Amino acid sequence: MAAWTGSSTTSVRALIHRHVFRNPDWSAEELFERLGVFEVGDTRFGRFLEGRA
């Protein structure tokens, strides 16, 4: 899967809102893949999760 497939004028926030909340056609795995979560280290991913709490 490619990174972001939206146009350059579409914000990341807008894409997440569209594909996760308004028209939920992305799984959690797809969302994380598009965010690049699987390419970052465990420590950085842990900090990301802590920031969402």
Side-chain angles (χ1 to χ4, degrees):
M1 231 171 275
W4 294 103
T5 58
S7 70
S8 61
T9 60
T10 305
S11 73
V12 171
R13 182 183 294 258
L15 288 170
I16 290 171
H17 187 265
R18 179 185 315 144
H19 292 287
V20 176
F21 299 107
R22 194 171 38 169
N23 180 25
D25 58 352
W26 285 359
S27 65
E29 182 177 352
E30 184 168 0
L31 172 63
F32 283 177
E33 187 170 323
R34 291 177 181 266
L35 288 172
V37 168
F38 300 124
E39 284 78 40
V40 300
D42 290 342
T43 303
R44 186 169 181 185
F45 181 63
R47 285 193 309 253
F48 168 76
L49 291 177
E50 288 173 0
R52 302 293 115 211

